[in-house]
C-alpha cells in the first residue's frame, strides 16, 4: 500500500458526460500528479499540483482540469467525455515540487466511456 | 518532449534465474531515474531509483545500472520469483515522469 488513495475504483459513463476523480496524497506529501494510462499511449503525465498551486502541465486536454484543495486532496475533472478517454487514471504524490523525488502511485480509477 | 523507451516488450525467464530489463533514454540532461513494477489492475509500485551521479545502485534482489555515455538503464532482478511477474517501467523524472513503454516479465515455474 503506497498510502495514496483514489476514488472511485471504477467509473462507467456515457459520451458527452462529465466525471470527477478524487485523490488523497500520502501524509506529508505536498505534490499531486495525475497520469493517464491507455493501451495506445501508455502512461502519460497530465498535470502536477504543489500545495494548492498548478506547477506543471503535461499532455492534458483542454476538456480536462484539476485542482488541489487546502487539505491537499486533488480532483481531476474530465468533461465532454469521448470514447478515447477510456483509460486508467492514476494519481501520484511526492514530498516536494521538483524532480529527483520518488512519486508514489495510487491504485487508479478505471474509466469506461460508452 | 524527450522520451524514455524499452527494447524488449516481453521477457520470459525461468524461476530462480536472473532477469535483466533494459531501457534507453534520450534526454542527456536527465538526472533522476526510477524503475516501477506494475501488476495487473494495480498502480505502478516503486522498485528502485538512481541519480545521474551514480552508476549503480543495489536494493533487495534488484540492481539498477546507469550508463550515461550511451543513455541506457538496466534493472537486474536476482533469483527471479513468480511474484516478480509484472510489467516493468523505467521513468525519467522532471516535474512529471516520462515513462517508457514497459516490459512484461513472465516467470516460468
Amino acid at each position: 500500500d503506497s498510502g495514496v488513495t483514489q476514488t472511485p475504483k471504477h467509473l462507467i459513463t456515457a459520451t458527452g458526460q462529465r466525471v470527477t476523480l478524487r485523490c488523497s496524497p500520502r501524509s506529508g506529501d505536498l505534490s499531486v500528479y495525475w497520469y493517464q494510462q491507455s493501451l495506445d499511449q501508455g502512461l502519460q503525465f497530465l498535470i502536477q499540483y504543489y500545495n494548492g498551486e498548478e506547477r506543471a502541465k503535461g499532455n492534458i486536454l483542454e476538456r480536462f482540469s484539476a485542482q488541489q484543495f487546502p487539505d491537499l486532496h486533488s480532483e481531476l475533472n474530465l468533461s465532454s467525455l469521448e470514447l478515447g478517454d477510456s483509460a486508467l487514471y492514476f494519481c501520484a504524490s511526492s514530498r516536494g515540487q521538483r524532480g529527483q523525488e520518488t512519486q508514489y502511485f495510487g491504485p487508479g480509477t478505471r474509466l469506461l466511456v460508452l | 518532449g524527450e522520451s524514455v523507451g524499452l527494447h524488449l516488450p516481453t521477457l520470459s525467464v525461468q524461476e530462480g534465474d536472473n532477469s535483466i530489463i533494459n531501457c534507453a533514454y534520450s534526454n542527456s540532461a536527465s538526472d533522476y531515474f526510477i524503475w516501477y513494477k506494475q501488476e495487473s489492475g494495480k498502480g505502478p509500485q516503486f522498485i528502485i531509483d538512481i541519480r545521474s551521479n551514480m552508476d549503480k545502485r543495489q536494493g533487495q534482489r534488484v540492481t539498477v545500472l546507469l550508463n550515461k555515455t550511451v543513455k541506457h538503464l538496466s534493472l537486474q532482478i536476482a533469483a527471479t520469483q513468480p511474484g516478480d511477474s509484472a510489467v516493468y517501467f523505467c521513468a525519467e523524472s522532471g516535474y512529471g515522469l516520462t515513462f517508457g513503454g514497459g516490459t512484461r516479465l513472465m516467470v516460468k515455474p
Side-chain angles (χ1 to χ4, degrees):
Chain A
D1 184 359
S2 67
V4 179
T5 60
Q6 289 187 248
T7 57
K9 286 188 177 179
H10 303 277
L11 201 47
I12 302 175
T13 188
T15 55
Q17 295 299 304
R18 172 189 169 96
V19 296
T20 297
L21 313 183
R22 183 187 169 104
C23 167
S24 292
R26 292 187 321 157
S27 177
D29 285 359
L30 298 178
S31 273
V32 169
Y33 308 78
W34 286 98
Y35 293 84
Q36 179 192 59
Q37 186 174 34
S38 60
L39 286 176
D40 58 344
Q41 296 289 327
L43 264 163
Q44 289 204 310
F45 166 65
L46 297 179
I47 197 165
Q48 177 201 2
Y49 275 79
Y50 172 77
N51 204 21
E53 300 290 328
E54 182 184 304
R55 288 296 293 151
K57 270 188 173 181
N59 299 319
I60 189 166
L61 299 173
E62 287 192 9
R63 300 183 285 109
F64 296 1
S65 65
Q67 53 185 329
Q68 187 180 27
F69 295 86
D71 67 352
L72 301 177
H73 90 271
S74 178
E75 293 180 356
L76 179 67
N77 300 297
L78 314 177
S79 61
S80 302
L81 285 166
E82 302 175 359
L83 296 177
D85 297 326
S86 296
L88 276 164
Y89 291 85
F90 290 104
C91 163
S93 72
S94 69
R95 287 275 186 265
Q97 60 178 316
R98 194 59 178 94
Q100 295 212 3
E101 289 187 330
T102 303
Q103 294 182 26
Y104 294 91
F105 283 76
T109 293
R110 184 177 295 275
L111 174 66
L112 180 59
V113 182
L114 300 175
Chain B
E2 301 287 351
S3 64
V4 180
L6 291 172
H7 297 305
L8 300 173
T10 303
L11 176 65
S12 184
V13 300
Q14 203 70 39
E15 182 179 357
D17 287 351
N18 296 335
S19 303
I20 300 176
I21 301 172
N22 296 302
C23 172
Y25 65 94
S26 54
N27 185 358
S28 56
S30 295
D31 55 9
Y32 182 56
F33 304 89
I34 310 170
W35 281 99
Y36 285 94
K37 171 187 180 183
Q38 187 176 24
E39 296 174 284
S40 181
K42 296 185 178 180
Q45 175 189 351
F46 171 82
I47 301 173
I48 193 167
D49 58 1
I50 189 167
R51 303 188 189 284
S52 60
N53 61 353
M54 303 171 69
D55 295 323
K56 179 180 179 178
R57 190 164 190 222
Q58 288 184 293
Q60 186 177 14
R61 283 202 306 119
V62 294
T63 300
V64 55
L65 300 177
L66 175 61
N67 185 330
K68 294 181 286 295
T69 302
V70 295
K71 291 185 286 188
H72 184 268
L73 277 164
S74 67
L75 176 69
Q76 300 178 359
I77 304 173
T80 313
Q81 301 169 0
D84 295 327
S85 294
V87 176
Y88 290 80
F89 294 95
C90 64
E92 170 188 356
S93 181
Y95 278 103
L97 294 170
T98 301
F99 282 86
T103 293
R104 181 174 300 280
L105 176 63
M106 298 175 62
V107 182
K108 296 176 288 187

